[in-house]
Amino acid sequence: MTARSLLAALAASGLLGGAAQADPWIERADTRAETDALIRKANAETLFVNEPQGLLLGARHTKSGLLCTFAPGDRTNRIQVYPPAEPTEVRGDEVGCVSEVNGVFQSLQAARAADGGLDDAFRRAVDNVKLATPFAQTYEGDHAQNAEVDMDGRPLPLADHRTGRFVVELDGRKLYTRVSVAVVDGWRIKQWVTGPLDDAVGLDVEAESMMTMVLVDFAMKAQAVAAHSTPTALP
């Protein structure tokens, strides 16, 4: 997805102003059943709700508001609920949604954010990459730019996010890895994508598009809550 098509998608969402366009997707009859199975397999019935996204599976983490989407029928799809890492945490304070499509590993996680904000969240994410792949090197090639303004040059009302890009080696293969982090309403949202180094630019553009749409979903949810809570003036 190019920057222009990404902005078009944002405009269609209604977030950039104007009426949202009709959703062209038609929900598959078995989408809900497949998502329910993913949620049950993770023992996450009290943590996720089924929220189909047209042709895609959709599962929303109720605590953080994170919406995970999956391609239907992919056996690598899974929801993960991580055990509490701190005495103050409870089950469901750190979750993830994982898939692997055509050799590209994708993970989207939500966890309670520490007091350090985005700087601390990004440092933790980079440390995790280097812990998993000790010989990771900074990727110096072309990559996508954050979508910071709309087509009229106005700032997008999205949470800030920060991205680290690396070349890593796994099983003798050099791969491209990027980790992107945002902090939204006290939650650390982390995207981790790994795939063939030869397709680094394409992977980065698609990953940036996905991360932006995750933040669009959070922004739209916040706008809906704000609109619902705004008192109606009496005549």
Side-chain angles (χ1 to χ4, degrees):
M1 181 180 288
T2 65
R4 183 176 295 276
S5 61
L6 172 58
L7 291 174
L10 291 170
S13 74
L15 186 62
L16 305 187
Q21 301 300 308
D23 188 345
W25 292 343
I26 300 175
E27 183 181 330
R28 285 175 25 149
D30 57 348
T31 297
R32 283 190 174 274
E34 192 172 341
T35 305
D36 282 341
L38 288 176
I39 295 172
R40 283 196 305 270
K41 189 173 182 180
N43 295 318
E45 292 94 331
T46 62
L47 303 175
F48 282 83
V49 293
N50 195 328
E51 197 169 306
Q53 301 297 302
L55 296 175
L56 300 177
L57 314 184
R60 189 180 294 277
H61 181 229
T62 55
K63 287 186 174 184
S64 67
L66 176 67
L67 176 64
C68 297
T69 57
F70 302 92
D74 193 325
R75 294 185 179 182
T76 67
N77 292 340
R78 69 182 185 274
I79 292 172
Q80 292 184 317
V81 181
Y82 301 97
E86 302 291 341
T88 56
E89 294 180 355
V90 298
R91 188 175 187 271
D93 279 356
E94 185 172 0
V95 300
C97 301
V98 180
S99 63
E100 187 171 347
V101 180
N102 297 325
V104 178
F105 169 84
Q106 305 174 68
S107 172
L108 189 62
Q109 300 176 1
R112 294 281 186 188
D115 294 336
L118 184 57
D119 288 340
D120 180 70
F122 182 67
R123 178 188 58 77
R124 288 169 179 254
V126 171
D127 287 347
N128 287 340
V129 171
K130 293 181 178 179
L131 181 64
T133 54
F135 299 104
Q137 298 178 337
T138 301
Y139 171 78
E140 302 288 356
D142 293 336
H143 57 79
Q145 300 297 318
N146 292 4
E148 298 177 348
V149 297
D150 66 15
M151 288 178 285
D152 294 322
R154 296 170 299 187
L156 290 173
L158 305 180
D160 290 337
H161 68 288
R162 194 168 301 167
T163 301
R165 299 171 174 87
F166 304 92
V167 177
V168 301
E169 187 169 333
L170 293 173
D171 300 326
R173 294 186 303 150
K174 286 195 173 182
L175 301 171
Y176 171 75
T177 280
R178 65 166 265 158
V179 61
S180 192
V181 183
V183 175
V184 182
D185 293 334
W187 289 85
R188 186 173 69 249
I189 307 301
K190 182 175 74 173
Q191 177 204 53
W192 195 335
V193 176
T194 300
L197 182 59
D198 289 346
D199 194 25
V201 176
L203 287 176
D204 194 75
V205 171
E206 290 298 329
E208 185 64 30
S209 299
M210 289 188 291
M211 185 64 177
T212 300
M213 294 312 295
V214 167
L215 298 179
V216 165
D217 181 72
F218 274 110
M220 292 178 66
K221 184 171 176 287
Q223 285 185 353
V225 170
H228 181 72
S229 61
T230 300
T232 302
L234 295 177

mmCIF file of all heavy atoms in Angstrom, residues 15-58:
data_model
loop_
_atom_site.group_PDB
_atom_site.id
_atom_site.type_symbol
_atom_site.label_atom_id
_atom_site.label_comp_id
_atom_site.label_asym_id
_atom_site.label_seq_id
_atom_site.Cartn_x
_atom_site.Cartn_y
_atom_site.Cartn_z
ATOM 1 N N LEU A 15 -12.223 9.348 9.498
ATOM 2 C CA LEU A 15 -11.414 9.989 10.523
ATOM 3 C C LEU A 15 -10.878 11.335 10.058
ATOM 4 O O LEU A 15 -10.645 12.228 10.853
ATOM 5 C CB LEU A 15 -10.257 9.072 10.920
ATOM 6 C CG LEU A 15 -9.396 9.529 12.091
ATOM 7 C CD1 LEU A 15 -10.229 9.637 13.359
ATOM 8 C CD2 LEU A 15 -8.221 8.594 12.305
ATOM 9 N N LEU A 16 -10.682 11.481 8.757
ATOM 10 C CA LEU A 16 -10.103 12.714 8.228
ATOM 11 C C LEU A 16 -11.170 13.743 7.883
ATOM 12 O O LEU A 16 -10.876 14.770 7.291
ATOM 13 C CB LEU A 16 -9.269 12.407 6.973
ATOM 14 C CG LEU A 16 -8.186 11.354 7.140
ATOM 15 C CD1 LEU A 16 -7.342 11.273 5.883
ATOM 16 C CD2 LEU A 16 -7.310 11.657 8.344
ATOM 17 N N GLY A 17 -12.398 13.464 8.242
ATOM 18 C CA GLY A 17 -13.470 14.403 7.934
ATOM 19 C C GLY A 17 -14.334 13.877 6.807
ATOM 20 O O GLY A 17 -13.884 13.119 5.939
ATOM 21 N N GLY A 18 -15.595 14.264 6.795
ATOM 22 C CA GLY A 18 -16.506 13.786 5.773
ATOM 23 C C GLY A 18 -17.127 12.468 6.180
ATOM 24 O O GLY A 18 -16.735 11.835 7.148
ATOM 25 N N ALA A 19 -18.086 12.025 5.426
ATOM 26 C CA ALA A 19 -18.792 10.790 5.745
ATOM 27 C C ALA A 19 -17.964 9.579 5.382
ATOM 28 O O ALA A 19 -17.292 9.549 4.357
ATOM 29 C CB ALA A 19 -20.129 10.758 4.980
ATOM 30 N N ALA A 20 -17.999 8.569 6.219
ATOM 31 C CA ALA A 20 -17.305 7.325 5.917
ATOM 32 C C ALA A 20 -18.016 6.615 4.773
ATOM 33 O O ALA A 20 -19.229 6.673 4.635
ATOM 34 C CB ALA A 20 -17.283 6.434 7.158
ATOM 35 N N GLN A 21 -17.224 5.950 3.940
ATOM 36 C CA GLN A 21 -17.787 5.227 2.813
ATOM 37 C C GLN A 21 -18.316 3.871 3.275
ATOM 38 O O GLN A 21 -17.891 3.321 4.283
ATOM 39 C CB GLN A 21 -16.714 5.020 1.735
ATOM 40 C CG GLN A 21 -16.120 6.318 1.221
ATOM 41 C CD GLN A 21 -17.159 7.217 0.600
ATOM 42 O OE1 GLN A 21 -17.913 6.780 -0.262
ATOM 43 N NE2 GLN A 21 -17.216 8.464 1.023
ATOM 44 N N ALA A 22 -19.245 3.308 2.526
ATOM 45 C CA ALA A 22 -19.798 2.001 2.872
ATOM 46 C C ALA A 22 -18.716 0.934 2.795
ATOM 47 O O ALA A 22 -17.859 0.964 1.914
ATOM 48 C CB ALA A 22 -20.946 1.665 1.915
ATOM 49 N N ASP A 23 -18.753 0.007 3.727
ATOM 50 C CA ASP A 23 -17.781 -1.082 3.754
ATOM 51 C C ASP A 23 -18.045 -2.021 2.587
ATOM 52 O O ASP A 23 -19.146 -2.582 2.489
ATOM 53 C CB ASP A 23 -17.910 -1.833 5.085
ATOM 54 C CG ASP A 23 -16.814 -2.867 5.280
ATOM 55 O OD1 ASP A 23 -16.133 -3.194 4.288
ATOM 56 O OD2 ASP A 23 -16.653 -3.325 6.418
ATOM 57 N N PRO A 24 -17.066 -2.211 1.687
ATOM 58 C CA PRO A 24 -17.308 -3.061 0.518
ATOM 59 C C PRO A 24 -17.234 -4.543 0.842
ATOM 60 O O PRO A 24 -17.543 -5.373 -0.010
ATOM 61 C CB PRO A 24 -16.168 -2.661 -0.439
ATOM 62 C CG PRO A 24 -15.055 -2.269 0.485
ATOM 63 C CD PRO A 24 -15.735 -1.619 1.674
ATOM 64 N N TRP A 25 -16.779 -4.909 2.052
ATOM 65 C CA TRP A 25 -16.623 -6.308 2.389
ATOM 66 C C TRP A 25 -17.966 -6.932 2.774
ATOM 67 O O TRP A 25 -18.832 -6.284 3.332
ATOM 68 C CB TRP A 25 -15.651 -6.487 3.551
ATOM 69 C CG TRP A 25 -14.244 -6.140 3.207
ATOM 70 C CD1 TRP A 25 -13.701 -6.004 1.967
ATOM 71 C CD2 TRP A 25 -13.199 -5.860 4.130
ATOM 72 N NE1 TRP A 25 -12.380 -5.666 2.050
ATOM 73 C CE2 TRP A 25 -12.049 -5.569 3.369
ATOM 74 C CE3 TRP A 25 -13.116 -5.824 5.524
ATOM 75 C CZ2 TRP A 25 -10.832 -5.259 3.941
ATOM 76 C CZ3 TRP A 25 -11.906 -5.513 6.107
ATOM 77 C CH2 TRP A 25 -10.787 -5.240 5.327
ATOM 78 N N ILE A 26 -18.093 -8.181 2.492
ATOM 79 C CA ILE A 26 -19.265 -8.954 2.902
ATOM 80 C C ILE A 26 -18.785 -10.032 3.855
ATOM 81 O O ILE A 26 -17.898 -10.827 3.524
ATOM 82 C CB ILE A 26 -19.978 -9.586 1.682
ATOM 83 C CG1 ILE A 26 -20.431 -8.486 0.716
ATOM 84 C CG2 ILE A 26 -21.161 -10.427 2.139
ATOM 85 C CD1 ILE A 26 -21.044 -9.012 -0.566
ATOM 86 N N GLU A 27 -19.361 -10.086 5.030
ATOM 87 C CA GLU A 27 -18.904 -11.031 6.050
ATOM 88 C C GLU A 27 -19.146 -12.477 5.613
ATOM 89 O O GLU A 27 -20.229 -12.833 5.161
ATOM 90 C CB GLU A 27 -19.646 -10.760 7.366
ATOM 91 C CG GLU A 27 -19.195 -11.649 8.502
ATOM 92 C CD GLU A 27 -19.969 -11.355 9.775
ATOM 93 O OE1 GLU A 27 -20.392 -10.199 9.951
ATOM 94 O OE2 GLU A 27 -20.144 -12.287 10.573
ATOM 95 N N ARG A 28 -18.127 -13.292 5.760
ATOM 96 C CA ARG A 28 -18.270 -14.719 5.474
ATOM 97 C C ARG A 28 -19.110 -15.370 6.554
ATOM 98 O O ARG A 28 -19.053 -14.997 7.715
ATOM 99 C CB ARG A 28 -16.899 -15.393 5.450
ATOM 100 C CG ARG A 28 -16.093 -15.107 4.222
ATOM 101 C CD ARG A 28 -14.706 -15.690 4.291
ATOM 102 N NE ARG A 28 -14.572 -16.839 5.181
ATOM 103 C CZ ARG A 28 -13.706 -17.831 4.987
ATOM 104 N NH1 ARG A 28 -12.945 -17.817 3.924
ATOM 105 N NH2 ARG A 28 -13.607 -18.811 5.844
ATOM 106 N N ALA A 29 -19.871 -16.396 6.166
ATOM 107 C CA ALA A 29 -20.757 -17.048 7.118
ATOM 108 C C ALA A 29 -19.984 -17.721 8.242
ATOM 109 O O ALA A 29 -20.469 -17.825 9.365
ATOM 110 C CB ALA A 29 -21.626 -18.066 6.383
ATOM 111 N N ASP A 30 -18.759 -18.198 7.951
ATOM 112 C CA ASP A 30 -18.006 -18.944 8.961
ATOM 113 C C ASP A 30 -16.970 -18.086 9.685
ATOM 114 O O ASP A 30 -16.190 -18.590 10.481
ATOM 115 C CB ASP A 30 -17.312 -20.145 8.329
ATOM 116 C CG ASP A 30 -16.392 -19.748 7.172
ATOM 117 O OD1 ASP A 30 -16.472 -18.597 6.725
ATOM 118 O OD2 ASP A 30 -15.609 -20.603 6.723
ATOM 119 N N THR A 31 -16.957 -16.758 9.432
ATOM 120 C CA THR A 31 -15.954 -15.903 10.057
ATOM 121 C C THR A 31 -16.076 -15.908 11.573
ATOM 122 O O THR A 31 -15.083 -16.053 12.287
ATOM 123 C CB THR A 31 -16.080 -14.454 9.530
ATOM 124 O OG1 THR A 31 -15.804 -14.445 8.124
ATOM 125 C CG2 THR A 31 -15.106 -13.530 10.225
ATOM 126 N N ARG A 32 -17.276 -15.764 12.071
ATOM 127 C CA ARG A 32 -17.476 -15.727 13.518
ATOM 128 C C ARG A 32 -17.072 -17.044 14.176
ATOM 129 O O ARG A 32 -16.452 -17.043 15.243
ATOM 130 C CB ARG A 32 -18.939 -15.403 13.843
ATOM 131 C CG ARG A 32 -19.280 -13.941 13.682
ATOM 132 C CD ARG A 32 -20.652 -13.623 14.239
ATOM 133 N NE ARG A 32 -20.908 -12.193 14.196
ATOM 134 C CZ ARG A 32 -20.545 -11.340 15.133
ATOM 135 N NH1 ARG A 32 -19.876 -11.766 16.191
ATOM 136 N NH2 ARG A 32 -20.823 -10.062 15.027
ATOM 137 N N ALA A 33 -17.417 -18.150 13.558
ATOM 138 C CA ALA A 33 -17.089 -19.455 14.138
ATOM 139 C C ALA A 33 -15.583 -19.653 14.227
ATOM 140 O O ALA A 33 -15.066 -20.180 15.224
ATOM 141 C CB ALA A 33 -17.728 -20.572 13.316
ATOM 142 N N GLU A 34 -14.861 -19.223 13.198
ATOM 143 C CA GLU A 34 -13.410 -19.385 13.189
ATOM 144 C C GLU A 34 -12.757 -18.503 14.265
ATOM 145 O O GLU A 34 -11.820 -18.927 14.958
ATOM 146 C CB GLU A 34 -12.858 -19.041 11.807
ATOM 147 C CG GLU A 34 -11.409 -19.445 11.609
ATOM 148 C CD GLU A 34 -10.938 -19.263 10.174
ATOM 149 O OE1 GLU A 34 -11.793 -19.169 9.265
ATOM 150 O OE2 GLU A 34 -9.705 -19.206 9.974
ATOM 151 N N THR A 35 -13.260 -17.283 14.408
ATOM 152 C CA THR A 35 -12.724 -16.397 15.439
ATOM 153 C C THR A 35 -13.047 -16.936 16.830
ATOM 154 O O THR A 35 -12.204 -16.899 17.730
ATOM 155 C CB THR A 35 -13.293 -14.977 15.280
ATOM 156 O OG1 THR A 35 -13.030 -14.510 13.958
ATOM 157 C CG2 THR A 35 -12.662 -14.024 16.282
ATOM 158 N N ASP A 36 -14.258 -17.425 17.019
ATOM 159 C CA ASP A 36 -14.627 -18.017 18.311
ATOM 160 C C ASP A 36 -13.679 -19.150 18.681
ATOM 161 O O ASP A 36 -13.285 -19.294 19.842
ATOM 162 C CB ASP A 36 -16.062 -18.544 18.263
ATOM 163 C CG ASP A 36 -17.103 -17.444 18.399
ATOM 164 O OD1 ASP A 36 -16.752 -16.350 18.870
ATOM 165 O OD2 ASP A 36 -18.272 -17.686 18.020
ATOM 166 N N ALA A 37 -13.289 -19.944 17.686
ATOM 167 C CA ALA A 37 -12.375 -21.062 17.942
ATOM 168 C C ALA A 37 -11.003 -20.558 18.385
ATOM 169 O O ALA A 37 -10.380 -21.141 19.280
ATOM 170 C CB ALA A 37 -12.253 -21.932 16.697
ATOM 171 N N LEU A 38 -10.518 -19.480 17.766
ATOM 172 C CA LEU A 38 -9.235 -18.900 18.170
ATOM 173 C C LEU A 38 -9.294 -18.407 19.618
ATOM 174 O O LEU A 38 -8.360 -18.615 20.399
ATOM 175 C CB LEU A 38 -8.859 -17.735 17.254
ATOM 176 C CG LEU A 38 -8.409 -18.045 15.829
ATOM 177 C CD1 LEU A 38 -8.176 -16.746 15.067
ATOM 178 C CD2 LEU A 38 -7.148 -18.886 15.826
ATOM 179 N N ILE A 39 -10.388 -17.757 19.960
ATOM 180 C CA ILE A 39 -10.541 -17.225 21.311
ATOM 181 C C ILE A 39 -10.624 -18.356 22.330
ATOM 182 O O ILE A 39 -9.977 -18.312 23.390
ATOM 183 C CB ILE A 39 -11.781 -16.310 21.387
ATOM 184 C CG1 ILE A 39 -11.577 -15.068 20.501
ATOM 185 C CG2 ILE A 39 -12.059 -15.901 22.828
ATOM 186 C CD1 ILE A 39 -12.817 -14.192 20.364
ATOM 187 N N ARG A 40 -11.375 -19.408 22.002
ATOM 188 C CA ARG A 40 -11.499 -20.547 22.921
ATOM 189 C C ARG A 40 -10.167 -21.248 23.107
ATOM 190 O O ARG A 40 -9.806 -21.653 24.225
ATOM 191 C CB ARG A 40 -12.538 -21.540 22.397
ATOM 192 C CG ARG A 40 -13.981 -21.131 22.606
ATOM 193 C CD ARG A 40 -14.900 -22.314 22.424
ATOM 194 N NE ARG A 40 -14.709 -22.962 21.132
ATOM 195 C CZ ARG A 40 -15.371 -22.623 20.034
ATOM 196 N NH1 ARG A 40 -16.267 -21.642 20.065
ATOM 197 N NH2 ARG A 40 -15.156 -23.251 18.895
ATOM 198 N N LYS A 41 -9.413 -21.422 22.022
ATOM 199 C CA LYS A 41 -8.133 -22.122 22.099
ATOM 200 C C LYS A 41 -7.170 -21.403 23.032
ATOM 201 O O LYS A 41 -6.334 -22.038 23.695
ATOM 202 C CB LYS A 41 -7.522 -22.248 20.700
ATOM 203 C CG LYS A 41 -6.293 -23.140 20.647
ATOM 204 C CD LYS A 41 -5.833 -23.364 19.217
ATOM 205 C CE LYS A 41 -4.630 -24.301 19.182
ATOM 206 N NZ LYS A 41 -4.166 -24.536 17.787
ATOM 207 N N ALA A 42 -7.280 -20.085 23.117
ATOM 208 C CA ALA A 42 -6.411 -19.294 24.002
ATOM 209 C C ALA A 42 -7.003 -19.163 25.400
ATOM 210 O O ALA A 42 -6.410 -18.483 26.255
ATOM 211 C CB ALA A 42 -6.187 -17.907 23.408
ATOM 212 N N ASN A 43 -8.159 -19.804 25.644
ATOM 213 C CA ASN A 43 -8.862 -19.641 26.923
ATOM 214 C C ASN A 43 -9.068 -18.163 27.233
ATOM 215 O O ASN A 43 -8.821 -17.698 28.347
ATOM 216 C CB ASN A 43 -8.088 -20.320 28.062
ATOM 217 C CG ASN A 43 -8.017 -21.831 27.893
ATOM 218 O OD1 ASN A 43 -9.005 -22.460 27.526
ATOM 219 N ND2 ASN A 43 -6.847 -22.392 28.127
ATOM 220 N N ALA A 44 -9.497 -17.429 26.209
ATOM 221 C CA ALA A 44 -9.584 -15.968 26.317
ATOM 222 C C ALA A 44 -11.009 -15.460 26.140
ATOM 223 O O ALA A 44 -11.219 -14.319 25.724
ATOM 224 C CB ALA A 44 -8.664 -15.326 25.283
ATOM 225 N N GLU A 45 -11.999 -16.288 26.495
ATOM 226 C CA GLU A 45 -13.391 -15.892 26.300
ATOM 227 C C GLU A 45 -13.775 -14.657 27.105
ATOM 228 O O GLU A 45 -14.667 -13.909 26.703
ATOM 229 C CB GLU A 45 -14.331 -17.047 26.664
ATOM 230 C CG GLU A 45 -14.249 -18.243 25.727
ATOM 231 C CD GLU A 45 -13.280 -19.301 26.232
ATOM 232 O OE1 GLU A 45 -12.305 -18.933 26.936
ATOM 233 O OE2 GLU A 45 -13.489 -20.485 25.927
ATOM 234 N N THR A 46 -13.096 -14.421 28.240
ATOM 235 C CA THR A 46 -13.404 -13.248 29.060
ATOM 236 C C THR A 46 -12.528 -12.045 28.696
ATOM 237 O O THR A 46 -12.696 -10.973 29.285
ATOM 238 C CB THR A 46 -13.209 -13.566 30.555
ATOM 239 O OG1 THR A 46 -11.841 -13.913 30.793
ATOM 240 C CG2 THR A 46 -14.115 -14.712 30.983
ATOM 241 N N LEU A 47 -11.613 -12.233 27.744
ATOM 242 C CA LEU A 47 -10.659 -11.179 27.402
ATOM 243 C C LEU A 47 -10.860 -10.603 26.005
ATOM 244 O O LEU A 47 -10.477 -9.456 25.745
ATOM 245 C CB LEU A 47 -9.220 -11.712 27.507
ATOM 246 C CG LEU A 47 -8.814 -12.298 28.864
ATOM 247 C CD1 LEU A 47 -7.419 -12.896 28.776
ATOM 248 C CD2 LEU A 47 -8.888 -11.231 29.946
ATOM 249 N N PHE A 48 -11.424 -11.392 25.091
ATOM 250 C CA PHE A 48 -11.617 -10.960 23.704
ATOM 251 C C PHE A 48 -13.081 -11.110 23.321
ATOM 252 O O PHE A 48 -13.772 -12.012 23.800
ATOM 253 C CB PHE A 48 -10.769 -11.801 22.739
ATOM 254 C CG PHE A 48 -9.314 -11.430 22.703
ATOM 255 C CD1 PHE A 48 -8.441 -11.931 23.659
ATOM 256 C CD2 PHE A 48 -8.803 -10.596 21.717
ATOM 257 C CE1 PHE A 48 -7.092 -11.615 23.638
ATOM 258 C CE2 PHE A 48 -7.457 -10.270 21.684
ATOM 259 C CZ PHE A 48 -6.596 -10.775 22.634
ATOM 260 N N VAL A 49 -13.522 -10.223 22.433
ATOM 261 C CA VAL A 49 -14.847 -10.354 21.835
ATOM 262 C C VAL A 49 -14.690 -10.496 20.329
ATOM 263 O O VAL A 49 -13.749 -9.977 19.726
ATOM 264 C CB VAL A 49 -15.746 -9.148 22.168
ATOM 265 C CG1 VAL A 49 -16.072 -9.120 23.653
ATOM 266 C CG2 VAL A 49 -15.112 -7.831 21.725
ATOM 267 N N ASN A 50 -15.607 -11.222 19.748
ATOM 268 C CA ASN A 50 -15.613 -11.480 18.316
ATOM 269 C C ASN A 50 -16.138 -10.242 17.596
ATOM 270 O O ASN A 50 -17.253 -9.794 17.853
ATOM 271 C CB ASN A 50 -16.518 -12.698 18.046
ATOM 272 C CG ASN A 50 -16.322 -13.266 16.666
ATOM 273 O OD1 ASN A 50 -16.014 -12.548 15.726
ATOM 274 N ND2 ASN A 50 -16.529 -14.564 16.538
ATOM 275 N N GLU A 51 -15.345 -9.705 16.691
ATOM 276 C CA GLU A 51 -15.728 -8.491 15.971
ATOM 277 C C GLU A 51 -15.304 -8.620 14.511
ATOM 278 O O GLU A 51 -14.251 -8.111 14.110
ATOM 279 C CB GLU A 51 -15.083 -7.265 16.626
ATOM 280 C CG GLU A 51 -15.727 -5.942 16.240
ATOM 281 C CD GLU A 51 -15.232 -4.788 17.106
ATOM 282 O OE1 GLU A 51 -15.319 -4.901 18.344
ATOM 283 O OE2 GLU A 51 -14.770 -3.780 16.522
ATOM 284 N N PRO A 52 -16.077 -9.332 13.698
ATOM 285 C CA PRO A 52 -15.696 -9.586 12.303
ATOM 286 C C PRO A 52 -15.411 -8.301 11.543
ATOM 287 O O PRO A 52 -16.067 -7.281 11.754
ATOM 288 C CB PRO A 52 -16.912 -10.313 11.731
ATOM 289 C CG PRO A 52 -17.624 -10.872 12.919
ATOM 290 C CD PRO A 52 -17.394 -9.893 14.018
ATOM 291 N N GLN A 53 -14.418 -8.393 10.639
ATOM 292 C CA GLN A 53 -14.024 -7.252 9.813
ATOM 293 C C GLN A 53 -14.213 -7.621 8.350
ATOM 294 O O GLN A 53 -13.268 -7.825 7.600
ATOM 295 C CB GLN A 53 -12.575 -6.872 10.102
ATOM 296 C CG GLN A 53 -12.305 -6.492 11.543
ATOM 297 C CD GLN A 53 -13.061 -5.262 11.969
ATOM 298 O OE1 GLN A 53 -12.907 -4.191 11.373
ATOM 299 N NE2 GLN A 53 -13.906 -5.398 12.992
ATOM 300 N N GLY A 54 -15.475 -7.751 7.956
ATOM 301 C CA GLY A 54 -15.760 -8.141 6.586
ATOM 302 C C GLY A 54 -15.262 -9.542 6.310
ATOM 303 O O GLY A 54 -15.648 -10.505 6.972
ATOM 304 N N LEU A 55 -14.370 -9.675 5.328
ATOM 305 C CA LEU A 55 -13.813 -10.978 4.975
ATOM 306 C C LEU A 55 -12.762 -11.455 5.971
ATOM 307 O O LEU A 55 -12.349 -12.605 5.939
ATOM 308 C CB LEU A 55 -13.188 -10.922 3.575
ATOM 309 C CG LEU A 55 -14.157 -10.647 2.424
ATOM 310 C CD1 LEU A 55 -13.391 -10.491 1.121
ATOM 311 C CD2 LEU A 55 -15.172 -11.767 2.296
ATOM 312 N N LEU A 56 -12.310 -10.559 6.851
ATOM 313 C CA LEU A 56 -11.266 -10.909 7.804
ATOM 314 C C LEU A 56 -11.863 -11.299 9.148
ATOM 315 O O LEU A 56 -12.941 -10.850 9.526
ATOM 316 C CB LEU A 56 -10.312 -9.726 8.002
ATOM 317 C CG LEU A 56 -9.569 -9.225 6.770
ATOM 318 C CD1 LEU A 56 -8.723 -8.008 7.138
ATOM 319 C CD2 LEU A 56 -8.693 -10.314 6.175
ATOM 320 N N LEU A 57 -11.127 -12.152 9.879
ATOM 321 C CA LEU A 57 -11.481 -12.425 11.254
ATOM 322 C C LEU A 57 -11.116 -11.208 12.093
ATOM 323 O O LEU A 57 -10.103 -10.550 11.845
ATOM 324 C CB LEU A 57 -10.718 -13.639 11.780
ATOM 325 C CG LEU A 57 -10.637 -14.898 10.904
ATOM 326 C CD1 LEU A 57 -9.915 -16.002 11.654
ATOM 327 C CD2 LEU A 57 -12.012 -15.342 10.468
ATOM 328 N N GLY A 58 -11.902 -10.924 13.111
ATOM 329 C CA GLY A 58 -11.605 -9.803 13.992
ATOM 330 C C GLY A 58 -11.861 -10.173 15.441
ATOM 331 O O GLY A 58 -12.914 -10.709 15.786
#
